[in-house]
Every structure is written in structure tokens, then in C-alpha cells.
């Protein structure tokens, strides 16, 4: 169920990213990179809060520490997505399809990193606590 919630938030964040990108691109002509970074920043802030509270329902860890880890991941994700896009374009001549494919790959990668290292829960699972008690 967590992955489904993650997917819903990512779709909303992607729509926000693209909407901000298109709006800023129309305001700042020929500044696609700046518009892209700003769109990803807006979507990243939106996604962080929704992932923390809705997707992973994380309350056990420091919000500041999670924010630092999340935005560090975002800062790494942007060049990784760009590299995947660049490599894909050397094989395929359809930028939209290649971008979508690289975005999906990055979403899958960032889901697992987010789940394991950013919004991880300190709660013990019932099976784990039984094992810890020697039962």
C-alpha cells in the first residue's frame, strides 16, 4: 500500500513540476533549465511533506534530518535523471518517451531510497519484537 500512496503523490508532484515548468517557461523565455530546476524545487517541497505525512506516515525521526536527506536525494536525482535522458536519447529519437522512461526509473530508485534511508520508521514490527524477546 505504501508504494501505491508513493505513486499517487509522485503523479501529483510530477503534475506540479510540469505545470510550474510550463508556467515559468512562458514567463522567462528561453530559460528552460532555470524553469526545470524551479519546477522540481516546488514539486520537491510538496512531495517531501506529503511523503512524510501521508506516504510513509513518518513521525519517529527528526523532520530536519529527513528534510536534509530528502533534498540531498533530490539534488542527486536531478543529474541522474538528466544522465539517463542523455543516454536514452543516444539510442532513441523520441525525447518524450525517453524522458518518461528515465523519470520512471528515477521514481523507482527514489522510492526505495526514501523508504529505507529518509522516512524509515524506528518502530519494531511484531515479528521482530517477538524475535528480540527470544520467542
Amino acid at each position: 500500500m505504501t508504494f501505491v500512496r508513493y505513486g499517487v503523490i509522485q503523479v501529483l508532484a510530477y503534475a506540479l513540476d510540469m505545470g510550474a515548468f510550463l508556467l515559468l517557461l512562458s514567463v522567462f523565455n528561453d530559460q528552460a533549465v532555470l524553469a526545470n530546476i524551479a519546477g522540481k524545487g516546488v514539486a520537491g517541497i510538496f512531495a517531501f511533506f506529503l511523503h512524510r505525512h501521508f506516504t510513509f506516515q513518518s513521525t519517529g525521526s527528526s523532520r530536519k534530518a529527513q528534510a536534509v536527506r530528502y533534498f540531498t536525494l533530490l539534488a542527486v536525482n536531478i543529474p541522474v535523471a538528466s544522465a539517463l535522458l542523455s543516454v536514452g536519447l543516444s539510442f532513441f529519437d523520441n525525447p518524450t518517451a525517453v524522458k518518461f522512461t528515465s523519470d520512471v526509473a528515477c521514481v523507482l530508485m527514489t522510492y526505495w531510497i526514501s523508504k529505507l534511508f529518509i522516512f524509515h520508521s524506528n518502530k519494531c514490527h511484531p515479528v521482530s519484537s517477538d524475535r528480540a524477546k527470544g520467542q
Side-chain angles (χ1 to χ4, degrees):
M1 189 57 149
T2 302
F3 186 72
V4 172
R5 289 191 306 254
Y6 185 85
V8 169
I9 300 305
Q10 282 305 113
V11 166
L12 293 172
Y14 195 69
L16 184 60
D17 178 5
M18 186 61 76
F21 172 77
L22 293 172
L23 176 67
L24 292 171
L25 193 60
S26 69
V27 173
F28 304 113
N29 294 333
D30 297 326
Q31 298 295 324
V33 172
L34 182 61
N36 186 50
I37 292 169
K40 290 197 178 306
V42 168
I45 292 167
F46 167 84
F48 170 74
F49 287 104
L50 266 70
H51 284 320
R52 184 174 199 281
H53 296 290
F54 177 70
T55 304
F56 299 106
Q57 299 172 356
S58 178
T59 58
S61 186
S62 163
R63 179 182 295 163
K64 183 177 178 181
Q66 287 177 341
V68 167
R69 291 189 303 258
Y70 184 85
F71 289 105
T72 299
L73 175 60
L74 184 62
V76 170
N77 187 23
I78 292 170
V80 168
S82 298
L84 288 173
L85 180 64
S86 179
V87 168
L89 287 173
S90 66
F91 292 102
F92 302 101
D93 191 28
N94 186 337
T96 303
V98 173
K99 178 180 173 19
F100 179 77
T101 303
S102 68
D103 287 344
V104 168
C106 286
V107 164
L108 294 173
M109 175 188 70
T110 57
Y111 167 76
W112 291 110
I113 293 171
S114 295
K115 183 175 180 168
L116 295 174
F117 300 108
I118 297 174
F119 299 110
H120 62 280
S121 175
N122 293 332
K123 298 177 193 172
C124 289
H125 296 288
V127 173
S128 300
S129 61
D130 288 346
R131 286 185 190 152
K133 293 176 187 175
Q135 298 176 355

